[in-house]
Amino acid sequence: MRQRREKIVLFLCTGNYYRSRIAEVLFNSVAVKVGLSWKASSRGLALERGVNNVGPMAVSAITALEALGVRAPDAVARFPVQVTINDFEGADRIIALKHAEHLPLLQERFPAWVEKVEFWHVDDAPKVLGLIEREVMGLVARILGGGERLECQPTEAPVSEHPAAKAPAKKPVTVKVGRETAGRRGKGVTTVFDVPLNESGLRELAASLKLRCGTGGTVKGGRIEIQGDQRERLVAVLESMGYRVKRVGG
């Protein structure tokens, strides 16, 4: 049987030393755990601007990833790579980590590809791991749900005298958030269920949610349980990841 081609997401930053490398490693870690047939690579738009970068990758980025239990020796050992047209042509999705910083570089160096790029808003600053993790989880959620790329700037569609009929849109996945106290001696938990992930994916998501809430939790019977009443916070976090969320049970 012919194997299905693995799809590619290309992450871009200026020097391919910090932000895009974190995104690459995190995405590949999550993709393996949720059984997603995608792989990330990363490149730099202007390596000459990273003259003060020492070594293959920022040590602070490697340390932060290891603190999350994410280790990718080969990925962190390679030196930064300048993006080429071949990289753009081989990618199914292209994401630049900072709109204000990377849009001008793309317009100057790769103008034909600007409209195909999704832009995030991640500064080149310490302690951005949490934001990149959130964006990566949102991207994975959108891919799993069949969602399109985020639009960071208005784009104009060509006007047609006879517009074609729209194809029926895919029904977005709705994740449920509720609360349970019965049989727990007053120690309630917030539950997250109907998430379109396998067991490994649920555990990965649960770990991220526990981190966001600063509390414990577990995965039981296909559902995530987070200690305490975390409904408001979890709804906000899940929506930021790209999920449609519904509160249930009051």
Side-chain angles (χ1 to χ4, degrees):
M1 182 186 290
R2 191 176 171 181
Q3 257 190 336
R4 186 173 57 176
R5 183 182 76 87
E6 195 172 46
K7 292 191 173 183
I8 301 294
V9 55
L10 173 65
F11 290 107
L12 301 171
C13 70
T14 303
N16 193 219
Y17 184 70
Y18 185 55
R19 291 168 290 177
S20 63
R21 301 286 288 280
I22 292 175
E24 173 191 352
V25 173
L26 275 178
F27 182 93
N28 286 333
S29 173
V30 174
V32 169
K33 289 175 181 175
V34 303
L36 192 64
S37 186
W38 283 68
K39 186 174 182 179
S41 64
S42 67
R43 295 290 186 266
L45 287 163
L47 261 58
E48 73 279 4
R49 298 188 183 182
V51 291
N52 295 319
N53 294 339
V54 178
M57 181 175 171
V59 173
S60 59
I62 298 171
T63 303
L65 287 165
E66 288 179 346
L68 283 178
V70 179
R71 290 175 175 80
D74 292 340
V76 304
R78 73 161 175 85
F79 278 79
V81 179
Q82 176 70 37
V83 71
T84 67
I85 291 294
N86 287 341
D87 295 315
F88 285 105
E89 291 176 344
D92 297 280
R93 287 199 185 210
I94 307 165
I95 295 170
L97 273 288
K98 178 69 176 178
H99 182 266
E101 180 183 347
H102 299 137
L103 176 59
L105 284 170
L106 282 160
Q107 289 172 329
E108 175 192 339
R109 302 180 181 201
F110 302 98
W113 291 92
V114 170
E115 294 301 318
K116 297 177 176 64
V117 177
E118 173 182 326
F119 293 92
W120 291 353
H121 301 280
V122 181
D123 290 319
D124 188 8
K127 300 183 179 178
V128 293
L129 176 62
L131 176 56
I132 296 175
E133 182 189 10
R134 198 156 60 242
E135 292 285 9
V136 166
M137 294 299 290
L139 173 63
V140 170
R142 282 184 283 120
I143 291 173
L144 287 168
E148 296 302 315
R149 70 183 177 97
L150 295 175
E151 297 293 342
C152 291
Q153 69 281 338
T155 56
E156 291 181 5
V159 179
S160 170
E161 261 184 72
H162 306 286
K166 287 185 179 178
K170 283 187 178 180
K171 188 176 179 181
V173 175
T174 300
V175 174
K176 312 288 194 320
V177 173
R179 178 158 162 75
E180 287 185 4
T181 56
R184 298 179 184 272
R185 299 179 183 177
K187 296 181 180 178
V189 297
T190 304
T191 57
V192 180
F193 52 101
D194 288 355
V195 185
L197 299 175
N198 61 20
E199 185 74 11
S200 295
L202 286 174
R203 292 188 184 282
E204 179 80 14
L205 178 58
S208 180
L209 297 180
K210 287 189 289 182
L211 185 65
R212 298 287 177 270
C213 295
T215 188
T218 188
V219 175
K220 288 183 182 176
R223 307 192 324 165
I224 297 171
E225 296 183 358
I226 303 295
Q227 293 174 4
D229 187 356
Q230 307 288 347
R231 286 173 291 181
E232 294 293 338
R233 182 174 296 181
L234 287 176
V235 167
V237 169
L238 288 164
E239 286 179 343
S240 77
M241 291 178 170
Y243 290 103
R244 174 175 288 187
V245 186
K246 180 179 179 181
R247 280 184 56 160
V248 297

